Amino acid sequence: MAQEATSVATRCQAALVAKGLPVAAVYADETKLKGGYICDTMRMVIEYTVEDPTLPKNLVLKMEMPTSNDHQVAMDLHLYDREWHFYETLSTMVPVRVPKYYATLLSEDGKRKVGVLMEDLCLPGAELNPALDEAGVLLTVKHCAQMHAKFWNNPDLETKYGVSPHNGPWFNPSWREKVTGHWPEFRTKWATVLSPEALEAGDKIIANFQWVQDTISSVPRTFLHGDVKPPNMFMLSGNEPAFFDWQYIAIGKSCCDILFFLVEGYSIEEVRVLEPKVRRAYYDALVEFGVSDYSFEDLLRDWKLAAMYFPVYVAMWFGTVPDEHLVDPDFPKRFVPRCFDCIMRNGAADIVPDLKKREE
């Protein structure tokens, strides 16, 4: 373990020096920071060859975790690639607070990108995984709307900056194959928890998942964080939300970020109260930040699409993993009912066209 930490520290030093920073040495703080299912996150202590108070004393290293049960899934789904790509290419462009990017960590043979060094946001007054009241939720939603509005229908996202739409190669056919492959097992496992009507809606969504992917990728569309939730946020002093964990960046319907934020972060009872307020505030913020030719009725339809996409993908994934392989065994028990309650209360599956009619 010590030898591995030394190797990582040495490569971090080389990466920072290659970026022009006068680094004399790097040491790994063995205390793990906020981790996830597929990545290691640790603080790196930086020493310099010069005295300069503007240089960071600590950075955060986020790197792939080959020992994770989901490492191969992460590789297959390009989760690592997307996050490294965000920090290298897009992190300075988004109009929301994100950790500043410093360097990319390479594998020992120098042939692969395996991590990124970024700003440590554990600043005075910062709260990781903030407990957001209604005002905090609406503030977060407004910041997301500002980002969505900046990239609204921007063709450069795909052609210049290399971001994939949800029916592009980062997600298709892998996501469709994953949800359709898991559905029979999922349906059996959750049959006593979900209503027959919810399972029928699931049948319809899974059978038409390619249509969902294609439609959610159609214009109007924008840049998405993909996994907005309190555990992927800091609330900095001055009530400024900061966002990290950019593994699911994509081009798609803007409200995907907002709907998932609610489903992932709050109970069914809380979301039923928040949802109409959030939708209205989000729409008003889009208009405030310059989005036009997009009606509230358009948002309501896109909201249904969003309910059938990322929440369903997450439910199929974690809803079929054995409890002993989960970092949080209670997560599927919380998330799956929330996902399908969202689908049912919004009548999401009602907008899926009849498969036979489409084939004709």
Side-chain angles (χ1 to χ4, degrees):
M1 181 66 72
Q3 184 177 2
E4 180 183 348
T6 301
S7 170
V8 169
T10 300
R11 285 182 281 142
C12 285
Q13 180 180 352
L16 292 167
V17 169
K19 287 290 186 179
L21 292 170
V23 175
V26 175
Y27 303 97
D29 183 336
E30 293 298 323
T31 304
K32 288 286 180 69
L33 301 176
K34 182 262 184 191
Y37 294 99
I38 62 168
C39 284
D40 269 332
T41 308
M42 63 189 77
R43 180 173 286 113
M44 309 302 288
V45 181
I46 317 297
E47 293 183 356
Y48 297 95
T49 59
V50 296
E51 290 288 336
D52 186 343
T54 67
L55 294 172
K57 295 180 179 179
N58 302 310
L59 293 175
V60 169
L61 171 64
K62 184 171 185 179
M63 61 185 298
E64 64 181 43
M65 185 167 56
T67 57
S68 164
N69 290 324
D70 288 319
H71 175 67
Q72 190 55 52
V73 174
M75 295 289 285
D76 294 342
L77 300 179
H78 308 285
L79 300 185
Y80 302 129
D81 295 339
R82 282 201 293 275
E83 183 142 41
W84 316 154
H85 182 73
F86 168 78
Y87 281 104
E88 291 175 338
T89 307
L90 291 152
S91 60
T92 59
M93 298 171 58
V94 293
V96 294
R97 185 70 162 89
V98 302
K100 181 181 177 181
Y101 164 75
Y102 280 88
T104 298
L105 181 70
L106 299 178
S107 58
E108 290 191 51
D109 62 10
K111 295 181 179 179
R112 287 197 312 114
K113 298 174 182 180
V114 296
V116 288
L117 285 154
M118 67 185 87
E119 176 186 9
D120 186 350
L121 287 181
C122 290
L123 304 169
E127 181 186 0
L128 174 63
N129 190 11
L132 301 175
D133 58 12
E134 183 177 309
V137 169
L138 295 177
L139 175 67
T140 301
V141 165
K142 187 167 186 177
H143 279 250
C144 290
Q146 185 177 12
M147 181 180 74
H148 296 154
K150 176 175 179 177
F151 295 101
W152 198 263
N153 285 337
N154 187 337
D156 287 344
L157 281 172
E158 187 173 7
T159 59
K160 184 176 180 180
Y161 302 118
V163 183
S164 174
H166 268 298
N167 62 349
W170 284 356
F171 307 95
N172 186 30
S174 58
W175 281 35
R176 173 173 49 81
E177 291 172 346
K178 189 170 183 65
V179 298
T180 56
H182 282 306
W183 177 244
E185 178 187 356
F186 178 93
R187 203 184 197 288
T188 300
K189 180 177 179 179
W190 293 91
T192 59
V193 176
L194 302 175
S195 69
E197 293 78 14
L199 292 171
E200 288 176 9
D203 288 334
K204 189 174 183 181
I205 293 166
I206 300 302
N208 294 276
F209 201 75
Q210 184 64 63
W211 177 86
V212 175
Q213 282 193 289
D214 289 338
T215 310
I216 215 162
S217 303
S218 63
V219 294
R221 62 186 194 171
T222 189
F223 177 71
L224 302 174
H225 175 286
D227 195 14
V228 175
K229 57 187 177 184
N232 288 344
M233 294 171 54
F234 279 92
M235 187 61 74
L236 304 180
S237 60
N239 281 330
E240 181 184 20
F243 303 89
F244 57 95
D245 274 12
W246 295 81
Q247 294 161 350
Y248 289 95
I249 62 170
I251 302 169
K253 298 297 186 186
S254 65
C255 64
C256 289
D257 275 344
I258 309 305
L259 182 138
F260 188 77
F261 171 51
L262 294 179
V263 172
E264 158 68 22
Y266 301 93
S267 69
I268 291 172
E269 293 73 23
E270 290 170 324
V271 172
R272 287 178 176 176
V273 173
L274 283 169
E275 190 171 50
K277 299 177 183 179
V278 165
R279 266 197 305 245
R280 186 74 250 179
Y282 176 65
Y283 180 78
D284 291 344
L286 287 177
V287 173
E288 176 185 342
F289 291 120
V291 171
S292 59
D293 296 324
Y294 186 66
S295 69
F296 189 70
E297 289 68 30
D298 292 332
L299 173 61
L300 292 178
R301 184 176 188 276
D302 289 347
W303 199 268
K304 295 174 188 284
L305 284 167
M308 295 187 287
Y309 192 56
F310 192 45
V312 170
Y313 173 82
V314 172
M316 294 304 105
W317 180 352
F318 292 97
T320 54
V321 175
D323 287 354
E324 61 269 22
H325 293 162
L326 291 169
V327 175
D328 178 4
D330 289 329
F331 173 73
K333 300 180 182 70
R334 296 192 305 271
F335 187 85
V336 169
R338 293 179 186 181
C339 168
F340 279 85
D341 187 76
C342 180
I343 290 168
M344 297 307 292
R345 72 172 176 267
N346 285 289
D350 295 345
I351 68 169
V352 178
D354 184 82
L355 183 60
K356 292 181 180 179
K357 289 182 180 178
R358 294 210 316 276
E359 289 175 345
E360 291 172 358

